[in-house]
Amino acid sequence: LREPGLNLRVVQLFRDPRAVHNSRLKARQALLRESVQVLRSRHRAEPRGPARHQQQHLPLPPGLLGGGRPPQPQHRAEFFLGGALEVICQSWLRDLLLARRAPDWLRRRYTQLRYEDLVREPRAELRRLLRFAGLTVPPALEEFVVNMTRGAAYSSDRPFLISARDAREAVHAWRERLSRQQVRQVEAACGEAMSILAY
């Protein structure tokens, strides 16, 4: 970031953690290995010594605490996905706090983008991002972004399918699909980052 010859700019994309958890649950088997890797990264990154503030971890599903029958595969998958989301939110929080304290030279090279803002106002957010990057907005790119976020329908069955869809429906899909307990767990684990991001 300090190298003048690179002129590096960083755009960090965020999304409501409840929506992230909903998407990750839909693709739980495809993301299982990735979730385990994310959980392992927590152990490599954890500081030695006392923690600065108490983290509220997502609770373990029945069967993982020992005793009784072994957990069903779907419970194990949900445990790993939930734990990975917690690690992701902790990483977000570190980035957000760093950005708040950043010197001017860093702030000029870093910006945040919320998925929900891009979906609601694709033209305005695209212009903002390209202005930040020092680029012009080609009309074809603007048309592409609008078409990709204003498709005919929202396909919740194939989360990794890249196609034109009504992305505005994806913003609130978690409200219909997550249980109250799942929502509370995500909010407990990600609350600080969600507050800074105004979720």
Side-chain angles (χ1 to χ4, degrees), residues 33-107:
R33 181 176 291 167
E34 179 266 353
S35 296
V36 171
Q37 290 172 338
V38 170
L39 284 168
R40 285 183 181 148
S41 74
R42 167 196 280 166
H43 299 297
R44 287 193 301 270
E46 279 181 346
R48 307 282 183 228
R52 288 192 333 182
H53 42 265
Q54 189 70 20
Q55 296 290 341
Q56 177 152 3
H57 297 293
L58 290 173
L60 298 173
L64 283 179
L65 295 172
R69 294 180 311 192
Q72 298 299 312
Q74 67 268 22
H75 290 296
R76 275 199 307 269
E78 190 163 337
F79 165 69
F80 288 126
L81 290 172
L85 180 65
E86 181 183 342
V87 174
I88 290 166
C89 285
Q90 290 169 2
S91 177
W92 286 3
L93 181 60
R94 284 191 302 272
D95 292 344
L96 291 163
L97 294 175
L98 175 65
R100 271 188 176 174
R101 298 185 308 263
D104 285 342
W105 64 266
L106 176 57
R107 272 192 239 126

Side-chain angles (χ1 to χ4, degrees), residues 1-46:
L1 282 166
R2 289 178 187 265
E3 174 56 53
L6 290 178
N7 193 22
L8 180 67
R9 305 293 172 102
V10 176
V11 177
Q12 188 167 10
L13 176 66
F14 294 96
R15 188 175 181 198
D16 187 325
R18 295 164 293 199
V20 172
H21 192 55
N22 180 53
S23 292
R24 291 175 66 81
L25 285 173
K26 284 185 295 190
R28 70 181 59 165
Q29 292 308 318
L31 292 174
L32 196 52
R33 181 176 291 167
E34 179 266 353
S35 296
V36 171
Q37 290 172 338
V38 170
L39 284 168
R40 285 183 181 148
S41 74
R42 167 196 280 166
H43 299 297
R44 287 193 301 270
E46 279 181 346

Side-chain angles (χ1 to χ4, degrees), residues 35-182:
S35 296
V36 171
Q37 290 172 338
V38 170
L39 284 168
R40 285 183 181 148
S41 74
R42 167 196 280 166
H43 299 297
R44 287 193 301 270
E46 279 181 346
R48 307 282 183 228
R52 288 192 333 182
H53 42 265
Q54 189 70 20
Q55 296 290 341
Q56 177 152 3
H57 297 293
L58 290 173
L60 298 173
L64 283 179
L65 295 172
R69 294 180 311 192
Q72 298 299 312
Q74 67 268 22
H75 290 296
R76 275 199 307 269
E78 190 163 337
F79 165 69
F80 288 126
L81 290 172
L85 180 65
E86 181 183 342
V87 174
I88 290 166
C89 285
Q90 290 169 2
S91 177
W92 286 3
L93 181 60
R94 284 191 302 272
D95 292 344
L96 291 163
L97 294 175
L98 175 65
R100 271 188 176 174
R101 298 185 308 263
D104 285 342
W105 64 266
L106 176 57
R107 272 192 239 126
R108 286 192 303 269
R109 295 178 178 275
Y110 170 85
T111 192
Q112 298 164 355
L113 171 64
R114 294 187 337 156
Y115 170 82
E116 295 79 8
D117 297 332
L118 179 63
V119 163
R120 289 186 185 110
E121 298 290 337
R123 284 189 176 96
E125 287 300 313
L126 176 64
R127 288 183 191 132
R128 180 180 74 82
L129 289 175
L130 292 180
R131 217 176 20 250
F132 166 75
L135 301 171
T136 58
V137 183
L141 182 57
E142 191 170 308
E143 185 179 332
F144 174 79
V145 168
V146 171
N147 287 342
M148 290 300 284
T149 58
R150 298 292 189 270
Y154 167 60
S155 170
S156 62
D157 298 330
R158 300 178 68 188
F160 295 117
L161 177 68
I162 307 299
S163 64
R165 61 178 72 182
D166 189 348
R168 292 168 297 185
E169 287 185 38
V171 169
H172 297 294
W174 63 268
R175 294 177 189 269
E176 298 170 10
R177 293 180 177 88
L178 293 184
S179 68
R180 286 184 179 172
Q181 180 185 0
Q182 289 171 320

